[in-house]
Amino acid sequence: MKHHNRNPRARGGRKRQPSRRDPLIGFEADVTIEQIGARGDGIAHVATPDGKSVLIYVDCVLPGDQVRVALRQKRGDGYGAEVVAEIARSSGYNTPRCAHFKECGGCALQHMNDDDYRTWKRDKALVAVQRAGIDPQDAKTLVGDVEISPPASRRRAGFSVHVGATGVFVGFHGRFSHTVLNVPECAVLRPELMAFREAFVMFLEACPPEHARDIKEVFVTLTDSGLDVLIQASNDPDLDMRQDLAEFAEAQNIARLSWKTGDRPDEPVAARHLPVVRFEGVEVAIAPGGFLQATQDGEQALVAAIKSALADIAPKNVADLFCGVGSFTFSLALSGKRRSVTAVESDPRAVELLQYAVGQSGSPVKVVKRDLFRQPLVRDELSSFDLVVFDPPRAGALAQSETLAVDGPEWIIAVSCNPATFSRDMRVLRNGGYEITKVVPVDQFLWSSHLELFAILRRVSAG
């Protein structure tokens, strides 16, 4: 037998210590909710048995509500808490519009009355503008009324799917949970999406369980030519499943149904006709699961704000950055006087589809594939534009904002779906000599904490 000399410095194996349970987990107290936080939950303070005050976050409450809560988990600088008894509700309480409100994690503020909700959303915009360095009083002047999409108007959704011993579940995750809830009704989605969900549940119930269990998510978008459906699964469909899906698409009048296994590219299973959307009368096809503004009402509010700005700015050459499939491109190019637009996007499929639409329509648009996070437009390129429009993902447009701050044109229009990165990018541009002249808050995710911001900036001094 081979022997090894033991290193005398080596430390013996450590015994695993039992985890210490937080003594506040499960602690109950009566509290009065102080305010609504950025995520739409109530904020209050609880006096603990040792005399300290801890911050708590509570779902489904409003300022002024008196409730008894139990602390359930550590959360950031405080604790997440659950209402175990309602003592008194505030005067701002509304009966939730949806039977699934308390259990579903989709909406945070259905129980808030309309006036208070509108004020809360505008306050989020005010905070974002102030964090960009604007004086609070000036922010109130800059920020307009919130453009709110109505109920039952959201045209795209991602449904989670779980098929197990207890049945078929197609819906959304519960609050702070991985459990998939069936949602036979939804107050925010278009009726066409909910009708699809009901039909898809019945389809999965009729499928062999071993095949139905492969499906994890289904993304549905209502386009101008019908529903576009993308199934995300863990395994490829067999021939019988493909046939069943094709028949399902025919029966439900689905424009296109695609299947995506893991990280591999999606493939069409039933392509009955091309899903398209129309911008300024120009038809543009979308890729499976491709991005669109969440509601047509929100898209129209943003386009109206752009057209109003164009009337005052009167640009001749425009850069449309992070353009997607052209949500704003054709409005920039074709509304009022025709103007030259350079549309820049990194997604190769969006670029290809936009190029085809431009070619078919003869619009004065040049489409460029480019990753603006890694390769933002710089001085020589920016010098040819008198207006830059950008609408980035939630990560914002920091790299592009930094080059614009130094070498950008007189006018910039910024659209953002994330107030935090909006504030950061606006600070960068203001430090470079731009001033914000107008802000329009647009709410496409009704009763949630999400908010989109539209801003017009003008250079008033050298950077």
Side-chain angles (χ1 to χ4, degrees):
M1 177 181 288
K2 188 173 182 180
H3 296 277
H4 297 275
N5 292 326
R6 182 175 180 84
N7 183 349
R9 289 186 171 183
R11 301 174 64 183
R14 294 183 179 179
K15 293 183 179 180
R16 180 174 294 179
Q17 298 294 326
S19 60
R20 294 183 179 180
R21 186 178 184 276
D22 189 324
L24 289 181
I25 300 301
F27 173 72
E28 294 188 9
D30 295 344
V31 299
T32 299
I33 303 302
E34 300 161 16
Q35 60 179 307
I36 296 295
R39 292 170 56 175
D41 41 16
I43 294 177
H45 288 81
V46 166
T48 61
D50 60 3
K52 296 180 180 178
S53 176
V54 298
L55 186 66
I56 63 168
Y57 303 91
V58 190
D59 286 328
C60 305
V61 293
L62 295 173
D65 282 355
Q66 298 175 40
V67 291
R68 185 166 186 82
V69 300
L71 276 58
R72 295 304 187 201
Q73 70 278 330
K74 196 77 175 72
R75 179 173 153 189
D77 54 351
Y79 289 82
E82 178 185 9
V83 175
V84 295
E86 295 180 3
I87 300 170
R89 281 289 193 179
S90 74
S91 59
Y93 179 80
N94 255 8
T95 301
R97 283 75 161 178
C98 175
H100 310 292
F101 168 61
K102 287 190 176 181
E103 57 180 357
C104 176
C107 295
L109 294 165
Q110 281 190 19
H111 59 313
M112 181 180 280
N113 72 53
D114 292 344
D115 289 341
D116 289 346
Y117 175 75
R118 183 178 292 275
T119 298
W120 184 75
K121 278 287 171 98
R122 186 168 184 268
D123 285 345
K124 283 181 69 74
L126 289 171
V127 169
V129 171
Q130 291 169 31
R131 287 177 176 170
I134 304 293
D135 177 82
Q137 200 58 44
D138 292 338
K140 290 181 179 180
T141 303
L142 289 174
V143 176
D145 292 334
V146 186
E147 299 282 350
I148 300 179
S149 295
S153 65
R154 201 179 305 171
R155 60 180 171 180
R156 56 182 174 87
F159 294 109
S160 296
V161 179
H162 174 74
V163 179
T166 56
V168 172
F169 297 84
V170 178
F172 304 118
H173 288 117
R175 278 182 203 281
F176 304 108
S177 167
H178 295 294
T179 302
V180 179
L181 304 173
N182 268 326
V183 285
E185 61 180 86
C186 179
V188 298
L189 295 184
R190 288 280 298 259
E192 296 92 334
L193 273 62
M194 295 307 296
F196 166 84
R197 191 213 73 87
E198 182 179 359
F200 196 60
V201 168
M202 292 189 288
F203 171 79
L204 291 177
E205 288 174 341
C207 283
E210 63 272 18
H211 297 319
R213 280 195 291 267
D214 289 336
I215 298 175
K216 305 305 179 185
E217 290 182 284
V218 56
F219 299 93
V220 190
T221 303
L222 179 61
T223 72
D224 293 342
S225 57
L227 289 177
D228 185 39
V229 177
L230 174 63
I231 293 173
Q232 179 79 52
S234 56
N235 290 299
D236 292 336
D238 63 10
L239 290 176
D240 288 340
M241 186 61 148
R242 290 176 184 273
Q243 181 63 37
D244 291 342
L245 287 168
E247 293 174 0
F248 173 74
E250 183 72 27
Q252 300 301 318
N253 195 27
I254 294 170
R256 178 178 62 198
L257 191 151
S258 306
W259 186 282
K260 180 175 173 63
T261 302
D263 294 330
R264 285 157 42 192
D266 54 75
E267 60 168 318
V269 174
R272 300 176 60 248
H273 44 267
L274 195 61
V276 299
V277 288
R278 295 178 181 87
F279 306 121
E280 300 298 320
V282 178
E283 285 193 350
V284 185
I286 66 166
F291 174 80
L292 284 180
Q293 296 293 335
T295 69
Q296 286 185 311
D297 299 81
E299 180 183 282
Q300 290 168 4
L302 291 167
V303 168
I306 286 174
K307 289 182 177 180
S308 175
L310 291 175
D312 295 330
I313 299 171
K316 295 181 180 179
N317 296 290
V318 181
D320 181 15
L321 310 183
F322 308 95
C323 67
V325 292
S327 297
F328 308 138
T329 306
F330 295 99
S331 296
L332 291 167
L334 304 177
S335 60
K337 294 183 179 179
R338 288 168 68 95
R339 55 190 66 84
S340 175
V341 174
T342 299
V344 185
E345 170 60 41
S346 62
D347 181 355
R349 291 204 289 186
V351 168
E352 181 182 352
L353 294 168
L354 182 55
Q355 284 175 329
Y356 181 80
V358 167
Q360 291 294 104
S361 64
S363 303
V365 176
K366 176 184 177 183
V367 185
V368 177
K369 180 183 178 299
R370 181 163 173 169
D371 185 344
L372 293 166
F373 292 109
R374 293 183 172 88
Q375 191 183 3
L377 299 188
V378 294
R379 174 180 295 182
D380 292 344
E381 298 161 309
L382 291 170
S383 63
S384 61
F385 302 113
D386 43 14
L387 168 65
V388 168
V389 178
F390 65 81
D391 181 16
R394 290 186 61 79
L398 179 58
Q400 188 61 77
S401 295
E402 289 173 340
T403 65
L404 285 168
V406 178
D407 298 310
E410 180 181 0
W411 293 96
I412 293 174
I413 293 176
V415 182
S416 172
C417 60
N418 183 348
T421 54
F422 170 86
S423 300
R424 180 202 64 199
D425 294 345
M426 293 304 101
R427 282 197 304 271
V428 170
L429 292 169
R430 293 187 72 247
N431 288 340
Y434 285 94
E435 285 296 338
I436 302 173
T437 66
K438 183 179 183 179
V439 175
V440 179
V442 179
D443 181 13
Q444 300 193 64
F445 291 87
L446 186 64
W447 300 317
S448 79
S449 61
H450 296 289
L451 185 65
E452 200 146 2
L453 295 168
F454 170 97
I456 303 173
L457 299 95
R458 186 176 191 180
R459 187 181 290 281
V460 294
S461 64

